[in-house]
Amino acid sequence: MSGKRILMLCGDFAEDYETMVPFQALQAVGHSVDAVCPDKRPGDTVATAIHDFEGDQTYTEKPGHRFALNASFAEVDPATYDGLVIPGGRAPEYLRLDGRVIEIVRHFFTADKPVAAVCHGAQLLAAARVLEGRRCSAYPACRPEVELAGGHYADIAVDAAVTDGNLVTAPAWPAHPAWLAQFLERLGTRIDHA
C-alpha cells in the first residue's frame, strides 16, 4: 500500500477522540496526516473537549488535550491531498465562517476525493453546500442543518457509519471502527486482519 496524504481541519474545542484517534490511526496504517487550523502554524495547539454520553439530554463536555498541529493552514493546497477528515465537536461551528475553509471543503467534493466527517462535522459540510441529495449522518442535533442543506439525514446507531459516494459520515466517536474502516476503503487502503 502506498500512503496517501490526508488533510485534517482542526479548531479549538474539536472533540478530543474525533481529532486524536483518526490522526493517529491513519498514520498507523501508513498515511500522512496534516492537521491544520486557520491562523495557526506547525507546533501551535488547539484545545480539545471530551464529549461523553452519560444519560443527559445531550452530551457532556470536559477538557481534553492540547492537540499539536503539524502543518500550516496558510500553506494548504487542497489539490495536493488525497482525502479530508473533519472532526466534530464545537470547532465546525466557527470554522464554517472561514471562507478559505469552505473553499477547501468544496475542492474535495469537486475533485471527488474521499471525505470523512463525524458528529458536528456536518455543520461544515452544510455550510459548504456539498450535501444536496447526499445521505449524511451526524450528531442528532445537526439533523436540521443536514436537511436544510438538502441532505438526507442518516439516522443510524451511534456506533455505525454511512458512505455515500466519496463521503463517509458517522454520528459520534463510538463509530470510529466503522467510520475509519469505510474511509480507509474509500482511500483504497487494504487492511489485513491477523
Side-chain angles (χ1 to χ4, degrees):
M1 167 196 82
S2 75
K4 304 285 185 172
R5 193 160 183 240
I6 311 298
L7 180 65
M8 179 181 278
L9 292 174
C10 301
D12 283 321
F13 302 104
E15 207 288 325
D16 189 83
Y17 299 150
E18 294 169 5
T19 304
M20 296 183 78
V21 172
F23 180 77
Q24 294 171 339
L26 290 165
Q27 290 179 86
V29 297
H31 300 306
S32 67
V33 182
D34 284 355
V36 300
C37 177
D39 302 319
K40 297 199 180 210
R41 297 184 308 263
D44 289 348
T45 62
V46 292
T48 66
I50 297 170
H51 292 175
D52 210 350
F53 310 99
E54 301 175 301
D56 300 299
Q57 290 180 324
T58 189
Y59 58 86
T60 59
E61 186 172 73
K62 298 167 186 67
H65 296 87
R66 297 295 309 181
F67 177 74
L69 304 165
N70 64 352
S72 171
F73 179 82
E75 296 172 10
V76 166
D77 176 0
T80 65
Y81 291 94
D82 301 301
L84 174 66
V85 174
I86 304 172
R90 291 191 351 240
E93 170 186 296
Y94 65 87
L95 288 175
R96 64 186 169 171
L97 302 176
D98 186 302
R100 179 71 176 128
V101 169
I102 296 298
E103 267 178 40
I104 289 169
V105 171
R106 286 180 179 157
H107 164 82
F108 285 89
F109 285 87
T110 301
D112 197 33
K113 297 178 186 179
V115 175
V118 64
C119 200
H120 288 74
Q123 292 178 313
L124 192 44
L125 299 174
R129 299 180 185 259
V130 295
L131 291 179
E132 183 73 37
R134 290 181 175 268
R135 193 161 178 241
C136 176
S137 180
Y139 188 69
C142 297
R143 180 180 191 146
E145 282 137 308
V146 170
E147 292 175 343
L148 286 167
H152 304 289
Y153 179 74
D155 189 3
I156 58 178
V158 73
D159 61 353
V162 62
T163 296
D164 185 336
N166 68 318
L167 178 62
V168 180
T169 55
W173 60 260
H176 278 338
W179 180 65
L180 287 168
Q182 289 178 37
F183 183 55
L184 288 169
E185 185 177 310
R186 296 300 307 141
L187 288 169
T189 306
R190 185 171 162 226
I191 305 294
D192 292 321
H193 300 282

